[in-house]
């Protein structure tokens, strides 16, 4: 139970941090960047990988069953 909680908290922190950075990058769209240009810019950023890892950790902590002894 504790390991799953720690995994979920770590994933939540990574997803929140990465998501906030991705939302902050939305300011580039009014500066003349199209949505496709924004997507290409964001797809090369490390924050996108951190966001995806956080989501995967959260999903893993929720979906994988716990082993009972």
């Amino acid at each position: 139970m504790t390991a799953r909680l720690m995994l979920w908290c770590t994933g939540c922190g990574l997803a929140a941090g990465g998501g906030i950075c991705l939302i902050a990058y939305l300011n580039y769209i009014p500066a003349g960047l199209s949505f496709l240009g924004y997507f290409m810019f964001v797809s090369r950023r490390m924050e996108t990988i951190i966001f995806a890892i956080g989501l995967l950790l959260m999903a893993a902590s929720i979906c994988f069953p716990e082993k009972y002894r």
Side-chain angles (χ1 to χ4, degrees):
M1 178 70 180
T2 305
R4 289 179 74 176
L5 181 63
M6 291 303 293
L7 191 65
W8 187 83
C9 287
T10 302
C12 188
L14 289 175
I20 288 171
C21 288
L22 292 178
I23 290 172
Y25 286 138
L26 284 172
N27 289 328
Y28 288 146
I29 290 178
L33 214 61
S34 66
F35 182 73
L36 183 61
Y38 168 76
F39 182 74
M40 293 301 291
F41 172 75
V42 167
S43 66
R44 293 181 301 221
R45 303 296 298 179
M46 181 61 103
E47 290 86 358
T48 306
I49 297 169
I50 291 172
F51 180 69
I53 290 171
L55 289 179
L56 287 174
L57 287 176
M58 287 173 46
S61 70
I62 292 171
C63 294
F64 289 137
E66 196 170 325
K67 294 180 182 179
Y68 294 105
R69 294 183 184 184

